[in-house]
Amino acid sequence: MPSPYDCSSNLYSIDLTLLLHFQPKMDSKSKSPMTKNDKLHIVMFPWLAFGHMIPFLELSKLIAQKGHRVTFVSTPQNIDRLPKLPPNLSPRLTLVKIPLPHVEKLPENAEATVDLPYDKIKYLKMAYDQLEQPITQLLHNASPDWVIYDFASYWVGPAAAKLGISSAYFSIFIATSLCFFGPSKVLMGMRGDSRTKPEDFTVQPKWVPFESTVAFRLFEINRIFDDVTGDDENIPATYRLGAAIDGCDVVAVRSSYEFEPEWLQLLPKINQKPVIPVGLLPPMPPDHDSVDDTKEWRTIKEWLDKQPKRSVVYVAFGSEAKPSQDELTEIALGLEQTGFPFFWALRKKQGLADTEAVELPDGFEERTKGRGIVCTSWAPQLEILSHDSVGGFFTHSGWSSVVEAIQFEKPLILLSFLADTGLIARVLEEKKMGYVVPRDDRDGSFTSDSVADSVRLVMVEEGGKIYRDKVREAKGLFVDRDTQDKYVNGLLDYFKTHSQEHKA
């Protein structure tokens, strides 16, 4: 019999079929009620996007550090691409590989959103939905105390309830976004006040009782409206989100009362469901001398070391957003106009199935040679942001990127693309923690001049001092380890107390 341990990726992992073979079946209802000091077993099952998997993994590590057992489940290719785990956690944090079923129109070897153009992600969701039976079987055999799942796997909550297992929906979206999206019954189309056209998402919803600028701009919602409404091949993202909230015992949110107190207080009222913030989950600062001492990082670091302190613009728009050709051209020409050194992590294609690669303007790389680097392969974002020469972050407003930037006091220039990044941009605007590049509200177009002006403002100009100051002020609440520890303890205390409701 082959070994159940796969060490090829330097990650402690177990193949699902072998896990099911070796795990004794157990009637979850026969377990004794928990005492306060019992250690928990928690299964984590994120959506197949690295913007989801990484926060799930960070939370898993914090839980495992406290002595609890965590089973983190994803597909083989994604498990192999996760960051290396600290060796001391391997006895308590197990990575389980579960094969992704094949579906028609899903390109071969595509197991995450990073492998696909936007229009093919719906087929990844279809394959993901076919994991319902094997995940249910895993829960039955492993009999954890809790399962923590993502919006896309809305079917986990009801499956866990049938097995007497407590469940939590973990939102990597901030509470503001969840409140804006609305009550679970509205999202599931079970109430008459559902939003049916893009314009409905550009105004403050009636269930938000205080004044706020948080709403999509028309171009932002138009870019994702097909996912909001769904089609014959696609269960709407809004339905998945609503059903994920509706089917869980508690909602956990990657947020804190220090950052968005009014929204965290509103969220449980909207959904009539307990809500627990788990903190902002800032990653541990990189260890440049060991884990990240790769050839790629050494080359990047040598270039960064030569640049003046806080002079470099770091440009990256996440793993899923790909600017259009027109947008790419304006971004490039705007960076050129600034005269600043820049490091640009550019994705020209979204996986092998993407047939529409974008290209830099003619002569751009020659004209900026020496002061600018365009990296079209892997770029270590955390290491780059932590470098003293980086003075600003030109970003898509993804929540993980925002947390990492503030962790290292890098002011934010914002250009939203997909998902809830437009809503996050509104929040950061309200708090003067980021400056949004001016754009046309209807089609999202912008100019190289607006890019250059925005970068200069945030990086060096007196008018942008407030953005630099606010990010420095925010660092304390974003990366305070004692505060983060308090939130994780609060989640675990809730889990210990309320798992009895199912296990007794």
Side-chain angles (χ1 to χ4, degrees):
M1 180 177 289
S3 166
Y5 304 103
D6 174 9
C7 300
S8 60
S9 62
N10 296 318
L11 293 168
Y12 183 85
S13 59
I14 293 180
D15 181 86
L16 173 67
T17 56
L18 294 170
L19 176 87
L20 296 181
H21 178 80
F22 287 117
Q23 287 281 353
K25 291 188 178 181
M26 197 172 184
D27 180 1
S28 59
K29 294 187 184 297
S30 68
K31 288 186 175 181
S32 300
M34 294 194 69
T35 63
K36 188 74 171 176
N37 296 319
D38 281 346
K39 296 303 181 183
L40 298 163
H41 177 202
I42 298 168
V43 169
M44 305 285 278
F45 184 50
W47 163 232
L48 306 179
F50 281 91
H52 292 243
M53 287 184 275
I54 297 302
F56 268 73
L57 186 62
E58 288 297 324
L59 182 57
S60 298
K61 290 191 287 187
L62 292 172
I63 291 171
Q65 283 172 4
K66 295 184 178 296
H68 302 282
R69 189 155 58 98
V70 180
T71 299
F72 185 101
V73 184
S74 193
T75 62
Q77 193 170 301
N78 289 325
I79 292 288
D80 290 344
R81 291 187 287 187
L82 289 172
K84 294 178 182 178
L85 294 177
N88 65 303
L89 294 184
S90 61
R92 294 185 298 278
L93 178 47
T94 306
L95 305 178
V96 172
K97 295 178 175 180
I98 180 169
L100 185 69
H102 175 73
V103 300
E104 190 179 356
K105 299 183 184 178
L106 179 66
E108 193 174 351
N109 297 321
E111 294 187 6
T113 56
V114 71
D115 304 321
L116 295 163
Y118 175 77
D119 64 341
K120 293 191 182 298
I121 289 175
K122 62 185 177 181
Y123 303 118
L124 185 65
K125 288 180 179 175
M126 291 167 63
Y128 186 73
D129 285 341
Q130 291 189 24
L131 293 175
E132 180 175 357
Q133 192 279 328
I135 287 292
T136 301
Q137 185 66 48
L138 182 151
L139 293 174
H140 172 68
N141 287 4
S143 191
D145 300 291
W146 283 80
V147 56
I148 300 179
Y149 64 93
D150 213 330
F151 85 101
S153 51
Y154 62 96
W155 30 264
V156 167
K162 289 178 183 177
L163 295 170
I165 297 168
S166 301
S167 67
Y169 159 56
F170 175 33
S171 171
I172 62 106
F173 309 114
I174 59 175
T176 305
S177 297
L178 289 182
C179 288
F180 179 83
F181 291 139
S184 60
K185 302 300 185 188
V186 170
L187 292 168
M188 296 169 73
M190 296 168 65
R191 271 178 39 182
D193 46 7
S194 297
R195 290 170 282 191
T196 58
K197 57 185 186 296
E199 288 78 8
D200 295 339
F201 291 84
T202 63
V203 295
Q204 180 172 321
K206 63 184 182 181
W207 49 78
V208 176
F210 45 80
E211 189 174 338
S212 171
T213 63
V214 173
F216 283 108
R217 294 166 73 179
L218 188 59
F219 74 88
E220 290 168 339
I221 190 61
N222 276 336
R223 288 186 180 207
I224 60 171
F225 198 63
D226 61 328
D227 196 25
V228 170
T229 55
D231 56 33
D232 291 342
E233 298 179 302
N234 184 22
I235 296 171
T238 46
Y239 179 87
R240 290 178 185 269
L241 177 59
I245 294 170
D246 193 60
C248 71
D249 295 304
V250 62
V251 176
V253 186
R254 186 188 184 184
S255 187
S256 72
Y257 286 111
E258 291 83 359
F259 179 71
E260 47 173 359
E262 68 278 28
W263 296 98
L264 279 169
Q265 290 162 8
L266 177 61
L267 188 57
K269 298 175 184 175
I270 287 176
N271 286 297
Q272 296 297 299
K273 190 78 73 166
V275 172
I276 302 177
V278 301
L280 299 171
L281 304 177
M284 293 301 293
D287 180 358
H288 297 304
D289 297 324
S290 58
V291 176
D292 303 304
D293 190 21
T294 61
K295 181 180 178 182
E296 293 90 346
W297 168 239
R298 285 197 299 273
T299 302
I300 294 167
K301 186 176 184 299
E302 285 173 10
W303 182 82
L304 289 171
D305 287 345
K306 295 174 184 176
Q307 310 307 317
K309 189 173 182 179
R310 303 194 74 82
S311 67
V312 176
V313 188
Y314 174 52
V315 186
F317 302 116
S319 60
E320 293 186 41
K322 187 186 81 171
S324 69
Q325 184 59 62
D326 287 345
E327 290 169 338
L328 183 78
T329 298
E330 297 303 323
I331 292 167
L333 297 178
L335 290 172
E336 184 178 349
Q337 280 179 238
T338 65
F340 296 162
F342 61 87
F343 187 99
W344 188 354
L346 173 62
R347 295 182 59 79
K348 289 187 175 184
K349 292 178 65 176
Q350 290 292 103
L352 297 176
D354 190 352
T355 59
E356 299 180 5
V358 290
E359 300 295 339
L360 292 163
D362 289 342
F364 171 77
E365 290 182 274
E366 291 77 13
R367 294 192 301 272
T368 58
K369 190 174 182 179
R371 76 169 175 89
I373 290 181
V374 178
C375 176
T376 56
S377 58
W378 173 79
Q381 178 159 297
L382 204 63
E383 287 83 347
I384 293 169
L385 285 172
S386 70
H387 199 281
D388 287 344
S389 70
V390 175
F393 186 14
F394 191 8
T395 173
H396 64 309
S397 314
W399 190 227
S400 288
S401 291
V402 169
V403 171
E404 291 172 7
I406 293 173
Q407 180 174 1
F408 297 109
E409 300 182 25
K410 308 303 182 186
L412 297 160
I413 307 105
L414 307 174
L415 191 71
S416 61
F417 286 97
L418 297 173
D420 68 330
T421 55
L423 303 180
I424 295 170
R426 301 298 96 73
V427 176
L428 296 172
E429 274 186 302
E430 282 187 356
K431 296 177 180 292
K432 300 295 184 185
M433 289 170 61
Y435 181 79
V436 175
V437 174
R439 304 169 81 165
D440 182 281
D441 269 354
R442 298 197 65 81
D443 63 14
S445 61
F446 54 91
T447 66
S448 58
D449 288 343
S450 64
V451 169
D453 291 345
S454 300
V455 171
R456 290 192 196 104
L457 174 72
V458 172
M459 292 275 288
V460 299
E461 290 179 0
E462 183 62 28
K465 183 175 183 294
I466 188 168
Y467 302 105
R468 301 190 289 274
D469 290 345
K470 288 291 185 181
V471 164
R472 276 193 292 272
E473 291 171 15
K475 178 181 177 179
L477 72 92
F478 268 64
V479 300
D480 182 76
R481 294 293 164 184
D482 289 339
T483 301
Q484 178 60 69
D485 196 54
K486 175 190 71 175
Y487 280 113
V488 174
N489 283 338
L491 177 72
L492 293 171
D493 287 345
Y494 185 93
F495 278 7
K496 288 177 183 179
T497 303
H498 290 80
S499 62
Q500 296 180 46
E501 295 172 4
H502 285 300
K503 302 296 184 185

